[in-house]
Amino acid sequence: MSLLRTLFAKSQPLPMPAAADWERVLSLPLFAGFSDADYRRLQTLALQLLADKTFTPVADAQPSGADIAGIATRAALPILKLGVSWYHGWNEVVLYPAQFIHEAEEMDEHGIVHALRHVRSGEAWAGGPLILSLDDLQGSGRGEGYDVVIHEFAHKLDMANGKGSAGVNGLPPLHGDMRVADWAAAFNPAYQDFRRRVDAGEATEIDPYAAESPAEFFAVLTEYFFDLPEALIEAYPAVYEQLRRFYRQDPMERFHDPATS
Ligand SMILES: [Zn+2]
């Protein structure tokens, strides 16, 4: 992290969001249909996250107050009914201006190490920082099943079992009234089915990136759960049900409750 610290030393203090920034974020499709109490709770959690986490712009990123409000409020959504302790054990949110290059080394089956370069919109490190591209906030939370902030914070929930990178497997710690067997019975066949569709070249409504691994499947389906729940219910209703019980929210009901539309 020393490189990030060095880069941070040159950056400006973070702008604090103004009232209009918070209002603009809450007017996104992602946040439609909440009760006033839940809107207040979202904002309380968002402010708590801003106080708890260090936001570190790097590579000349210049986040606006609206960007900061957008990140904190989106990050608050998955834990609205869970509480901020689900994000404990790490401190830093690193902000890039745009997509960034992730460099890694991977050993193949012959023991040869390959240098890999991936373009990323975000990243979450077990026990370490969460990284976001500010550019990718623009297309997030528009009711299209894409939200980079929710995706990366879902990885953090997956990691909340404290097992480090080995615990990033699409199985977050479940509540006492849930069972790992039920979770697996919903997720495993859905993941196999989705991989088969993607391998067959089918045009899926859900982003094919979900086929990368069980961890990505959980993170991408969490984006759909919150941002385009009807697509998830239609494709994998049992997965939707498990996510509804895990997040203790029902976005489908929230979006379609006539009392709040
Ligand atoms: Zn991911």
Side-chain angles (χ1 to χ4, degrees):
M1 293 307 296
S2 59
L3 173 64
L4 295 177
R5 302 269 173 231
T6 313
L7 289 165
F8 184 42
K10 291 184 228 156
S11 69
Q12 303 296 312
L14 274 190
M16 282 311 287
D21 296 327
W22 293 110
E23 275 168 31
R24 185 133 48 100
V25 172
L26 289 174
S27 70
L28 283 170
L30 181 64
F31 296 109
F34 279 115
S35 66
D36 286 347
D38 277 342
Y39 278 124
R40 280 195 297 276
R41 173 131 184 86
L42 268 175
Q43 191 160 14
T44 302
L45 282 169
L47 289 169
Q48 206 170 341
L49 288 171
L50 287 182
D52 285 356
K53 305 295 180 201
T54 304
F55 285 70
T56 307
V58 298
D60 292 329
Q62 294 185 329
S64 64
D67 291 334
I68 299 299
I71 293 167
T73 313
R74 287 178 171 91
L77 180 55
I79 56 162
L80 181 66
K81 305 292 179 182
L82 302 181
V84 80
S85 65
W86 279 76
Y87 291 153
H88 283 177
W90 59 280
N91 294 312
E92 191 166 36
V93 179
V94 176
L95 305 175
Y96 276 83
Q99 291 192 329
F100 52 92
I101 305 284
H102 170 96
E103 299 198 31
E105 290 186 337
E106 201 170 270
M107 194 185 288
D108 67 18
E109 67 268 35
H110 308 294
I112 297 166
V113 175
H114 299 270
L116 300 173
R117 289 166 61 85
H118 296 292
V119 178
R120 292 278 173 86
S121 306
E123 249 175 52
W125 297 3
L130 184 149
I131 307 174
L132 294 168
S133 141
L134 293 175
D135 248 9
D136 288 77
L137 287 179
Q138 304 312 320
S140 291
R142 308 273 165 186
E144 294 165 0
Y146 176 75
D147 194 295
V148 65
V149 180
I150 287 179
H151 181 103
E152 299 307 331
F153 277 83
H155 282 316
K156 283 295 189 184
L157 296 175
D158 191 358
M159 294 164 185
N161 53 27
K163 293 180 189 159
S165 51
V168 190
N169 55 5
L171 174 63
L174 300 181
H175 309 304
D177 61 352
M178 298 181 71
R179 297 191 322 146
V180 172
D182 295 338
W183 185 272
F187 272 84
N188 292 351
Y191 179 60
Q192 296 308 332
D193 174 72
F194 191 68
R195 282 183 65 114
R196 184 184 53 73
R197 286 167 188 257
V198 170
D199 284 349
E202 238 179 76
T204 55
E205 181 161 20
I206 291 167
D207 183 348
Y209 187 63
E212 286 278 310
S213 66
E216 295 306 339
F217 195 65
F218 168 68
V220 171
L221 265 49
T222 289
E223 293 177 76
Y224 282 84
F225 177 76
F226 285 110
D227 198 42
L228 190 56
E230 48 269 56
L232 178 55
I233 283 205
E234 192 173 320
Y236 302 116
V239 168
Y240 183 91
E241 174 60 12
Q242 289 298 307
L243 291 179
R244 188 188 67 76
R245 296 182 62 179
F246 175 66
Y247 288 111
R248 295 177 171 156
Q249 300 183 47
D250 193 341
M252 197 65 184
E253 189 179 84
R254 168 160 63 86
F255 287 149
H256 295 105
D257 180 354
T260 53
S261 63

